[in-house]
Amino acid sequence: MLECIPTRKVEHTAGKINPAKTCQPIGAMYAALGIHGCLPHSHGSQGCCAYHRMGLTRHFRDQILASSSSFTEGASVFGGAANLKTSIKNVFKIYNPEIMAVHTTCLSETIGDDIPTIIKQSEVPEGKVVIHANTPSYQGSHITGFSNMCKAMVSYLAESDGTAKKERVNILPGFVNPGDMREIKRIVRELGIDLTMFPDTSDVVDSPLTDKYEMYPEGGATVAEIRDSGNSKLTLALGAWSSEAAGALLQEKCSVPCVPLKIPVGLKATDDLIMALKDGFGMKVPRSMTIERGQVVDTLIDTHFHYQGKKVAVAGDPDIVVPLTEFLLTMGMIPAYVMTGTPGSRFETEIRHMLEQSGIKDCVVRAEGDLFELHKWIMENPVDLLIGTTHCKYIARAEDVPLVRVGFPIFDRAVHYLMPIVGYRGCLRLIEMISNALLERRDRDCTDEDYELIL
Amino acid sequence: MAITEKGMEDLLATYPDTVKKNRKKHLLIKNSAEACQQIEANTRTIPGIISQRGCCFAGCKGVVVGPIKDMVHIVHGPVGCAYYSWGTRRNKARADDTTPKENIYSTLCFTTDMQEPDIVFGGEKKLSRMIDEVVEMFHPRAITISATCPVGLIGDDIGAVARAAQERHGIQVLAFNCEGYKGVSQSAGHHIANNNIMEHVIGKGTQRKPGDYVINILGEYNIGGDGWEIERILKDIGYTVNGIMTGDSSYVDIRNLHLADLNLVQCHRSINYIAEMMETKYGMPWLKVNFIGVDATCKTLRELARCFNDEALIGRTEEVIARELAIVEPVIEHYRKILNGKTAFGFVGGSRSHHYQHLLRDLGMEMIVAGYEFAHRDDYEGRQVIPTIKSDADSRNIPELHLKPDEELYQDAHVYLNLTKEKFEEIKKNVPLGHYEGMNPDMKDGEVIIDDINHYEFEELVRKLKPDLILTGVRDKYIAHKLGVPSRQLHSYDYTGPYAGFNGAMTFAREVANAVTTPAWKLVTAPWEDGKSKE
Ligand code: SF4
Ligand code: SF4
């Protein structure tokens, strides 16, 4: 596989080969699906919308509905105002969502369509809402798009009625799977705290098969809930890249204090989430949580020799890779390459800081990298394990490295989006996946006399 | 179950008036009593309608150009378009006599990943630099550049960049101005790709593959290995496959396409331009084929043999058919017992909605609603309507290549097939040489033909007609499931395949039977719910 990849050192400065990120609108579309009864709308050519629906559909194996302004050459020259107005009218008449969440594409951005003005001039039925986010694909990544749509939810919807804040926490979950969102909600409820999570794609993009078809499944934060988020006592913004901007805006707009945290992947990040809630609400952490946590520590002690000291390469979105790297360090593994496709020097600073604290040198850390680069590094200096998305599978095969699939997108395995990697239970799942990948490899590669019953 | 004109009216009643007026023209209930039922196709999608369609870029780079395995395909634009067209169409490729492994780039994705400054100040320099680096790194035989939406708008001249790079590196660099907003669907991109390849690649080589009955297969993308199955059968009969466009195909082979005796056209929509242009320029005849379905494959093989009018070839064709049928028929018979009488919907991009009707009929099934995402009227009604299709602003934007017969290479069609002119004309009366009759004639009265179906119509038709199976793309697959109907993807075959030829028919039969009978369908309703579980 990949015999074409040069073995010598090469100059790679322009563009990306095997990118480790994609464009903003797909993130905005995903976030919008986390509002109940929402139809995301792509303001641009229909091709983008088709591609974004396809990408999300393949990852979640579920229906992903979104409409498009279907630009033609004329719209590209004269602007897409007419297309958006027609879209808004048709969407409410034919598909009747509660809310439409418009995002732009590189086409409408390059043209410079003024979306808020167009929305104001459109016929929006009584009681229905249209929000928008600018998502130029030539900035940031899909994570930026997710963040921008979360911000739009706050700027269009969140309100504070000026009365005393409610004993409730807002959770901005970041770009994670519905299974993760569900697990975060479970933890918060287990602590006895009332919450509003937005966006919340659980029961939307992993909706059940029943005998009744719902174009808009049960899940998602309702418009009313997002409105009322301005009256909550606290916001936890999980993930610097995907949630912090929305959290900060909510603080500014409605005076809800925002605590930025990592997405709770790994033991420490989960501890941080629980401590932040304890600090905010002063509740006693229930015994059940202590048990869950203790099971993770127990497992780490029991299984450390499966993975400790192994060299690992990690690639993915920054909000996942940062806490995941932290957890790999907790596990005693040695990150050799840590890479994200999303730009931003903060990534490199945070990872370097963690590595330093663990005394790890010789790790290559890179933001705005691509998988070709990662492949070249691994060719030069191999690793024992690769953790990343589906696109890493080519490297895994070419270099014969086991791959643990984590993150977005995963196109070649099922069920993953239902199974959390967050919280203490998520820790157990990560330990299991990583241990199993390494042990399978050991079983595969060893001689007959070394093939053992018990490991 | 069938739908009446009245039922169709009711369905459309929800639409705002302008939408209703528009959509009405894209829907037909087949009625053979009406002389020529006309359908509207290849016109704009209505803004706000949840369509299945993609863009011009997807048709050009995604469908036609992307699968060429020994070229590096650079997408000039922000990262997304390249990312989504990376490995998502299952065009299988492998090394062969003319292309070693080192020259295959199929699993790589190249994008200039334009950033804001590139949009503001232009991205030509970055593109040039990327080409230089790619040449240095990979030494490809040739390179393509595909433009995405913003490129045309900011005025990057990818043609000039390509010409300069070609000078610098001494390899061909092709520029495709396939910005997503051009035309009304992927179809515009097919046309742009066809033109460019015709103008700059086909005819540049001098190597005809050695062997008899040398043919090209056009519009076969080797999804799930379809092309390999077709090649297996053709080679057994004695044909030499000179080149395939563009499944498992190589730049070096495409240069030699003009040296074959006959073009076979599998997907009419995406490739008919090249077949037609090669006919004009070189005189090479083309035959519409269909390798989907057991009966259809036999029919195609027989028609193909007749084109060469060679008794030995005809005899060998019958031998291979008999040999294959002995294996296939019992298997098909087994699955027919499970599937007989069941109905299906089929919505796929181009020719597949037609082709699969044959395979379903082998299994005793009927496609009662069929439609295309980006077809033209000729794909529905037959090529005879082409002169009557009105061009509009969107289609006029796609340049036509006006070719003349090549002074050196043009030969009359009958010469290619080694026939007298009279014999050629006689054969032409009975086989689809240079003609495609479209999907509509194959449909039965009362069945529904639908162009550019959208989510609302999809949902309503499923509720009304309750099909047993939906053959569609990934975006609709899971909607079908939620509506309680099994589905198979006809773009990717749900990662099995091949579905073409004899082996493919058996695979398809098994997969469809599994989809319909998978035990979970009986468990949809929880035991504590009222009502009956749907079976
Ligand atoms: S419509 Fe434009 S931006 Fe969208 S996928 Fe197609 S080329 Fe890319
Ligand atoms: S990069 Fe731009 S054109 Fe391409 S899919 Fe994304 S938004 Fe569309």
Side-chain angles (χ1 to χ4, degrees):
Chain A
M1 170 127 293
L2 288 176
E3 285 79 1
C4 64
I5 301 275
T7 44
R8 67 212 135 78
K9 272 217 161 24
V10 294
E11 174 101 316
H12 170 38
T13 62
K16 296 279 182 288
I17 304 175
N18 302 344
K21 64 167 179 185
T22 184
C23 63
Q24 285 207 38
I26 196 172
M29 185 181 282
Y30 180 50
L33 289 165
I35 307 176
H36 176 73
C38 178
L39 191 70
H41 180 85
S42 167
H43 184 55
S45 307
Q46 69 210 5
C48 311
C49 184
Y51 273 147
H52 303 144
R53 289 180 61 204
M54 180 194 84
L56 294 172
T57 302
R58 289 212 166 107
H59 178 85
F60 296 110
R61 300 191 194 222
D62 216 300
Q63 68 163 359
I64 303 292
L65 291 168
S67 51
S68 161
S69 290
S70 293
F71 276 38
T72 53
E73 197 142 3
S76 316
V77 178
F78 302 114
N83 290 54
L84 185 52
K85 286 181 205 162
T86 310
S87 297
I88 291 174
K89 191 170 147 218
N90 286 337
V91 161
F92 283 114
K93 183 83 200 330
I94 301 165
Y95 302 112
N96 195 29
E98 292 304 313
I99 171 170
M100 252 176 105
V102 180
H103 61 260
T104 53
T105 67
C106 30
L107 182 58
S108 50
E109 282 293 331
T110 310
I111 297 167
D113 277 347
D114 177 3
I115 310 292
T117 307
I118 304 171
I119 294 175
K120 274 196 205 96
Q121 295 164 349
S122 300
E123 292 169 42
V124 180
E126 190 65 35
K128 305 280 174 166
V129 199
V130 182
I131 66 173
H132 103 283
N134 286 92
T135 50
S137 343
Y138 40 79
Q139 284 171 3
S141 73
H142 55 296
I143 299 300
T144 322
F146 182 91
S147 166
N148 287 342
M149 186 52 84
C150 293
K151 236 173 98 182
M153 293 175 199
V154 173
S155 68
Y156 273 90
L157 302 175
E159 283 165 7
S160 150
D161 59 18
T163 57
K165 297 290 184 201
K166 295 182 182 161
E167 282 296 311
R168 181 181 58 206
V169 64
N170 301 321
I171 305 262
L172 299 163
F175 196 127
V176 291
N177 282 324
D180 295 315
M181 297 188 187
R182 197 174 286 116
E183 178 63 5
I184 294 168
K185 287 194 289 187
R186 185 190 68 83
I187 292 170
V188 178
R189 286 187 187 128
E190 186 84 15
L191 300 176
I193 299 166
D194 197 12
L195 87 156
T196 292
M197 175 178 280
F198 70 93
D200 178 3
T201 60
S202 61
D203 300 331
V204 181
V205 300
D206 61 351
S207 64
L209 185 69
T210 62
D211 48 16
K212 194 162 173 283
Y213 174 75
E214 305 275 3
M215 181 163 173
Y216 304 103
E218 266 175 45
T222 62
V223 170
E225 283 166 345
I226 302 175
R227 282 214 173 101
D228 199 38
S229 68
N231 297 316
S232 296
K233 183 174 153 187
L234 177 69
T235 301
L236 301 184
L238 311 183
W241 282 260
S242 39
S243 302
E244 236 176 75
L249 184 65
L250 191 54
Q251 175 164 335
E252 188 193 309
K253 187 177 171 191
C254 304
S255 311
V256 182
C258 172
V259 177
L261 289 172
K262 296 191 186 86
I263 289 176
V265 173
L267 193 119
K268 285 186 187 158
T270 306
D271 285 353
D272 290 347
L273 171 70
I274 290 173
M275 288 310 288
L277 288 163
K278 190 172 175 347
D279 289 347
F281 293 87
M283 83 296 166
K284 189 170 174 312
V285 178
R287 176 87 188 128
S288 58
M289 274 294 132
T290 315
I291 292 174
E292 276 187 33
R293 185 179 186 280
Q295 285 167 337
V296 177
V297 180
D298 186 54
T299 307
L300 284 168
I301 306 264
D302 293 349
T303 60
H304 69 95
F305 54 93
H306 291 166
Y307 41 75
Q308 190 163 357
K310 298 281 188 196
K311 274 174 71 181
V312 53
V314 196
D317 296 332
D319 287 332
I320 300 288
V321 172
V322 169
L324 181 60
T325 305
E326 185 177 64
F327 188 50
L328 294 170
L329 291 168
T330 304
M331 292 170 73
M333 297 187 76
I334 303 173
Y337 311 110
V338 182
M339 204 269 286
T340 186
T342 299
S345 57
R346 183 169 170 186
F347 176 81
E348 296 180 10
T349 319
E350 279 193 30
I351 300 276
R352 286 222 177 85
H353 178 71
M354 281 192 286
L355 294 167
E356 233 161 70
Q357 293 212 312
S358 303
I360 303 232
K361 296 190 190 78
D362 303 328
C363 175
V364 182
V365 184
R366 175 94 156 88
E368 215 183 344
D370 62 26
L371 297 178
F372 174 73
E373 227 178 342
L374 178 66
H375 189 174
K376 294 288 298 168
W377 296 333
I378 293 176
M379 277 170 96
E380 267 166 44
N381 241 322
V383 289
D384 302 304
L385 182 71
L386 176 56
I387 304 183
T389 62
T390 283
H391 289 102
C392 292
K393 78 188 286 180
Y394 298 113
I395 306 177
R397 183 174 167 101
E399 303 311 318
D400 197 23
V401 190
L403 169 65
V404 167
R405 288 164 177 78
V406 171
F408 175 88
I410 295 175
F411 291 154
D412 61 339
R413 294 292 185 273
V415 197
H416 55 90
Y417 44 84
L418 289 160
M419 311 303 280
I421 58 162
V422 299
Y424 300 124
R425 289 188 181 168
C427 291
L428 296 176
R429 180 152 174 269
L430 284 169
I431 296 170
E432 188 187 15
M433 288 197 295
I434 290 170
S435 287
N436 288 0
L438 291 165
L439 296 175
E440 292 289 351
R441 187 54 57 126
R442 175 171 163 180
D443 278 345
R444 192 198 80 177
D445 291 347
C446 69
T447 57
D448 283 356
E449 55 273 32
D450 287 333
Y451 189 65
E452 303 196 43
L453 183 69
I454 300 155
L455 292 171
Chain B
M1 221 175 291
I3 193 163
T4 57
E5 293 286 352
K6 168 79 175 54
M8 204 59 103
E9 285 290 331
D10 292 347
L11 190 153
L12 296 173
T14 309
Y15 283 141
D17 286 344
T18 45
V19 178
K20 193 195 301 173
K21 225 174 114 214
N22 177 311
R23 288 302 304 159
K24 212 171 142 56
K25 292 183 265 180
H26 295 263
L27 297 160
L28 282 184
I29 297 175
K30 169 78 189 269
N31 178 1
S32 45
E34 262 181 72
C36 45
Q37 280 186 294
Q38 191 174 319
I39 193 162
E40 190 155 291
N42 193 35
T43 53
R44 289 180 190 181
T45 306
I46 306 161
I49 295 291
I50 305 178
S51 154
Q52 301 176 320
R53 282 177 167 180
C55 66
C56 180
F57 165 83
C60 178
K61 192 271 176 181
V63 174
V64 181
V65 177
I68 304 172
K69 62 189 174 186
D70 57 346
M71 295 173 106
V72 165
H73 305 292
I74 299 178
V75 178
H76 186 40
V79 64
C81 322
Y83 190 84
Y84 307 115
S85 58
W86 176 15
T88 45
R89 283 200 73 248
R90 286 198 87 212
N91 314 101
K92 290 183 181 258
R94 62 186 171 205
D96 56 29
D97 298 345
T98 47
T99 306
K101 283 181 171 176
E102 295 71 32
N103 277 111
I104 297 180
Y105 314 101
S106 308
T107 56
L108 275 68
C109 170
F110 298 84
T111 164
T112 51
D113 183 24
M114 286 172 105
Q115 298 296 306
E116 186 144 33
D118 305 320
I119 298 287
V120 179
F121 304 109
E124 293 178 8
K125 284 213 182 74
K126 190 177 195 180
L127 174 61
S128 282
R129 194 149 49 95
M130 185 159 195
I131 296 172
D132 293 347
E133 291 181 357
V134 158
V135 170
E136 177 59 33
M137 279 188 248
F138 297 97
H139 309 298
R141 291 163 168 173
I143 291 176
T144 70
I145 305 165
S146 299
T148 71
C149 281
V151 170
L153 227 54
I154 62 170
D156 271 5
D157 186 349
I158 61 168
V161 173
R163 281 190 298 276
Q166 193 158 303
E167 287 279 300
R168 275 200 310 284
H169 299 294
I171 58 166
Q172 224 175 357
V173 182
L174 300 177
F176 295 84
N177 280 105
C178 54
E179 284 86 349
Y181 54 75
K182 289 191 172 156
V184 299
S185 69
Q186 289 94 317
S187 176
H190 305 144
H191 197 166
I192 289 170
N194 277 229
N195 284 351
N196 204 342
I197 291 174
M198 184 68 203
E199 199 173 359
H200 299 291
V201 188
I202 295 172
K204 302 288 188 236
T206 52
Q207 300 269 309
R208 173 182 155 111
K209 291 235 167 93
D212 300 323
Y213 320 115
V214 180
I215 54 173
N216 301 320
I217 310 174
L218 305 184
E220 169 46 57
Y221 300 101
N222 202 32
I223 314 285
D226 276 356
W228 292 333
E229 165 67 1
I230 295 170
E231 248 189 295
R232 176 189 73 88
I233 301 166
L234 291 172
K235 279 187 177 160
D236 265 6
I237 294 175
Y239 296 99
T240 303
V241 178
N242 188 53
I244 298 189
M245 262 204 83
T246 50
D248 192 25
S249 88
S250 65
Y251 167 75
V252 282
D253 286 347
I254 295 174
R255 287 161 57 92
N256 296 316
L257 283 188
H258 63 300
L259 299 169
D261 303 326
L262 179 67
N263 275 326
L264 312 190
V265 173
Q266 171 81 354
C267 170
H268 177 258
R269 182 68 267 134
S270 63
I271 217 84
N272 76 89
Y273 314 96
I274 283 186
E276 213 184 323
M277 288 188 284
M278 285 181 74
E279 195 173 29
T280 309
K281 185 167 177 189
Y282 303 109
M284 188 186 291
W286 63 271
L287 177 74
K288 176 69 183 79
V289 296
N290 175 20
F291 288 102
I292 303 294
V294 179
D295 283 352
T297 301
C298 294
K299 179 167 178 273
T300 279
L301 291 174
R302 289 185 173 122
E303 287 174 345
L304 177 55
R306 282 170 75 184
C307 288
F308 288 91
N309 195 40
D310 176 325
E311 283 309 320
L313 188 70
I314 292 169
R316 180 69 193 143
T317 301
E318 292 306 327
E319 273 169 42
V320 169
I321 289 177
R323 182 194 74 193
E324 297 286 325
L325 286 185
I327 303 165
V328 178
E329 274 182 337
V331 177
I332 295 291
E333 196 45 49
H334 167 76
Y335 290 112
R336 201 192 334 240
K337 288 201 188 91
I338 301 168
L339 299 169
N340 196 26
K342 296 204 183 295
T343 58
F345 285 7
F347 309 110
V348 203
S351 303
R352 285 166 201 254
S353 301
H354 182 195
H355 292 160
Y356 278 82
Q357 297 193 18
H358 295 271
L359 182 45
L360 288 173
R361 281 182 189 149
D362 291 341
L363 296 165
M365 295 179 70
E366 188 60 28
M367 193 184 280
I368 54 171
V369 181
Y372 292 130
E373 212 175 302
F374 46 69
H376 296 200
R377 273 183 60 205
D378 39 314
D379 301 298
Y380 294 101
E381 300 171 51
R383 284 183 71 88
Q384 72 283 354
V385 304
I386 292 177
T388 69
I389 298 176
K390 289 192 284 296
S391 72
D392 57 16
D394 301 307
S395 44
R396 272 194 296 275
N397 284 337
I398 312 304
E400 290 278 344
L401 259 191
H402 295 287
L403 297 177
K404 288 198 202 62
D406 189 284
E407 280 174 17
E408 276 170 42
L409 297 167
Y410 185 89
Q411 309 177 79
D412 285 331
H414 63 91
V415 180
Y416 278 90
L417 296 168
N418 211 3
L419 301 171
T420 62
K421 191 158 178 27
E422 294 69 43
K423 191 72 200 169
F424 178 78
E425 291 304 329
E426 186 196 318
I427 290 170
K428 208 174 160 183
K429 286 197 192 100
N430 297 307
V431 306
L433 270 165
H435 187 66
Y436 174 47
E437 60 161 18
M439 176 175 79
N440 297 10
D442 264 334
M443 301 216 36
K444 294 185 179 155
D445 281 353
E447 294 177 349
V448 178
I449 300 158
I450 190 159
D451 178 64
D452 185 20
I453 193 171
N454 59 60
H455 176 81
Y456 168 74
E457 290 161 10
F458 182 93
E459 195 184 321
E460 289 302 307
L461 286 168
V462 171
R463 286 189 205 284
K464 285 200 161 65
L465 300 177
K466 303 195 176 15
D468 300 297
L469 176 73
I470 297 180
L471 300 171
T472 185
V474 70
R475 284 182 296 265
D476 287 329
K477 177 183 177 71
Y478 303 101
I479 302 173
H481 291 178
K482 294 273 151 82
L483 282 159
V485 186
S487 79
R488 293 297 296 171
Q489 293 183 58
L490 273 204
H491 297 277
S492 68
Y493 305 166
D494 289 290
Y495 315 97
T496 63
Y499 280 177
F502 297 110
N503 287 340
M506 293 189 284
T507 309
F508 179 81
R510 185 190 65 223
E511 300 285 328
V512 166
N514 284 349
V516 171
T517 59
T518 198
W521 282 118
K522 296 205 168 84
L523 303 171
V524 171
T525 305
W528 53 87
E529 298 280 357
D530 291 340
K532 262 186 39 230
S533 171
K534 46 177 154 179
E535 303 221 345

